[in-house]
Amino acid sequence: GSGFFISEDGYIVTNNHVVSDGSAYVVVMNDGTELPAKLVGTDPRTDLAVLKVEAKDRKFAYVKWADDTKANVGDWVVAVGNPFGLGGTVTAGIISAMGRDINSGPYDDFIQIDAAVNRGNSGGPTFNLSGEVVGINTAIFSPSGGNVGIAFDIPASTAETVVAELMKSGKIDRGWLGVQIQPVTKDIAESLGLSDAQGALVIQPQEDSPGLKAGIKKGDVVTAVNGEPVKDARDLAKRIGAIRPGTKTEITIWRDGKSQQLELTVGTLPPEPKMASKDDNSQPDNGAPAQTSLESLGITVGPADDGKGVSVLSVDPDSAAAEAGIKQGDKIAAVNNKDVSSGKEITSQLNAAKKEGRTKALFQVETENGSRFVALPTDKG
């Protein structure tokens, strides 16, 4: 792996995945000098780590952070690192994109560059033409295992904040709302009566979480934090994560076709994500037939084995349900945020949505991979 000094007294920045398996650390300087280092702190969620070299009577040359808000697509950059153990290697390229989400975590906001980055470059700096660190080499897209001109950097603005906190306390305390969320698509927005596909849709509030205690429910859409609009699920995670735990915060939600505000105290993000609680208390409709064909959706449903929700028994491959990813064996737990236990109740909720003038209804679907929301048409037309 690679790293770089950010202070003359020996603080070094690198990636968490470079140091995470280590028990002792040695820094090899450009001239071959080896110096022992200690681990100051790590942040797995942003893949950052800080080391400290103890060397009396020695001041280290160090680099400065860039203002990455001034960086633009097309700007020239220079990546420095230790690819394949070759030592200090410099490659050049341009910024290819900003704000990339590569599904590595809730705080993804990478700078994409096309400078050659390979195994061993991780933790190394990417410089702008002023010699300032604009990003930290962290990941590559590589079907072949080698460089194909697509690399991802942690932005300097993110790194500078996280590194400063690690140097101060050795850990990161992030704000925690405690709700499982997903993006709001255009279809989901239509099903909820939202004018724009923005905000974060709550799949499930987690047990003993600040969100649950404040009254957030499944099916709510978080649209703003302290009056600032929430773009999407990732934006909500970043906004809450940046709030200091213990801070009183106003959350704006969309529920039952109208906006409302909730007050809560932001918690501390647990070391490991807590699993969402399952509190669906619906009971099966014993008078319902064993199977119900919902032709408008292209599915056949029946009572769930656990008596909660309804099981999907078959799916027409050319149906709206199939297009939305619903599969045989999935379970429909709720429609329009109302628990359902039979095909008849699903039909009732579809009709209710039609009466309100909506062309889509919101379905909560549970699969072996967890729960999610999808929007399905209220009628064939």
Side-chain angles (χ1 to χ4, degrees):
S2 308
F4 54 97
F5 286 102
I6 58 166
S7 69
E8 66 178 13
D9 58 344
Y11 281 98
I12 295 173
V13 174
T14 186
N15 282 145
N16 173 69
H17 76 260
V18 170
V19 302
S20 59
D21 293 330
S23 56
Y25 304 93
V26 175
V27 173
V28 182
M29 305 291 287
N30 195 49
D31 61 4
T33 303
E34 296 187 2
L35 299 171
K38 67 176 182 179
L39 185 63
V40 174
T42 64
D43 181 34
R45 288 182 170 88
T46 56
D47 197 19
L48 287 167
V50 175
L51 297 167
K52 178 71 162 60
V53 172
E54 299 292 351
K56 294 181 180 179
D57 303 323
R58 179 167 181 173
K59 294 182 178 180
F60 297 96
Y62 64 95
V63 295
K64 296 182 179 180
W65 300 109
D67 180 358
D68 61 57
T69 62
K70 296 180 179 180
N72 296 297
V73 172
D75 287 354
W76 282 95
V77 291
V78 175
V80 182
N82 182 35
F84 306 112
L86 291 172
T89 297
V90 179
T91 55
I94 61 169
I95 293 177
S96 303
M98 305 288 287
R100 285 294 199 212
D101 180 359
I102 61 173
N103 297 314
S104 68
Y107 308 110
D108 280 14
D109 188 24
F110 292 103
I111 298 173
Q112 181 183 329
I113 65 173
D114 73 345
V117 172
N118 290 283
R119 188 180 300 276
N121 274 105
S122 289
T126 291
F127 293 100
N128 61 20
L129 294 190
S130 297
E132 301 165 328
V133 177
V134 72
I136 300 172
N137 305 324
T138 297
I140 62 173
F141 175 78
S142 178
S144 64
N147 168 63
V148 294
I150 301 178
F152 302 99
D153 281 18
I154 301 168
S157 55
T158 298
E160 186 174 11
T161 301
V162 171
V163 166
E165 190 68 23
L166 290 177
M167 290 171 64
K168 179 181 178 181
S169 61
K171 62 178 182 176
I172 302 295
D173 288 330
R174 286 192 173 85
W176 181 55
L177 187 58
V179 293
Q180 185 183 355
I181 54 177
Q182 73 175 63
V184 177
T185 64
K186 289 183 179 180
D187 285 345
I188 288 176
E190 162 64 23
S191 73
L192 292 170
L194 277 168
S195 58
D196 297 309
Q198 292 187 334
L201 177 61
V202 177
I203 299 174
Q204 190 77 42
Q206 298 177 12
E207 186 178 355
D208 295 327
S209 67
L212 181 65
K213 293 174 182 177
I216 294 178
K217 300 178 180 180
K218 66 179 180 181
D220 289 347
V221 177
V222 180
T223 58
V225 176
N226 289 327
E228 293 292 326
V230 172
K231 296 178 182 178
D232 51 31
R234 184 170 56 133
D235 186 33
L236 176 62
K238 290 174 62 178
R239 287 180 182 275
I240 295 297
I243 297 174
R244 186 172 295 279
T247 303
K248 292 188 180 299
T249 303
E250 182 183 82
I251 301 294
T252 304
I253 63 168
W254 180 266
R255 179 191 295 168
D256 295 333
K258 59 184 179 181
S259 183
Q260 56 183 282
Q261 280 72 42
L262 299 175
E263 296 285 343
L264 58 84
T265 300
V266 173
T268 301
L269 184 67
E272 294 295 334
K274 291 185 178 180
M275 296 300 292
S277 62
K278 298 296 183 181
D279 57 0
D280 185 343
N281 294 316
S282 60
Q283 297 298 320
D285 181 358
N286 293 325
Q291 295 186 12
T292 303
S293 178
L294 302 173
E295 293 183 1
S296 64
L297 303 177
I299 58 175
T300 300
V301 299
D305 292 339
D306 59 2
K308 298 179 180 180
V310 295
S311 293
V312 178
L313 305 178
S314 65
V315 182
D316 181 344
D318 296 322
S319 67
E323 187 177 344
I326 294 178
K327 299 177 181 179
Q328 180 180 348
D330 289 350
K331 184 168 74 172
I332 299 172
V335 180
N336 295 334
N337 295 320
K338 304 294 185 183
D339 295 338
V340 293
S341 57
S342 68
K344 181 179 179 181
E345 292 182 0
I346 293 176
T347 300
S348 176
Q349 289 302 321
L350 290 173
N351 290 334
K354 279 194 289 186
K355 287 181 180 179
E356 294 178 3
R358 297 179 187 175
T359 61
K360 304 284 184 181
L362 190 68
F363 282 65
Q364 183 181 10
V365 181
E366 295 181 357
T367 72
E368 59 183 11
N369 296 320
S371 183
R372 65 189 176 98
F373 284 99
V374 299
L376 295 176
T378 56
D379 206 337
K380 282 186 176 180

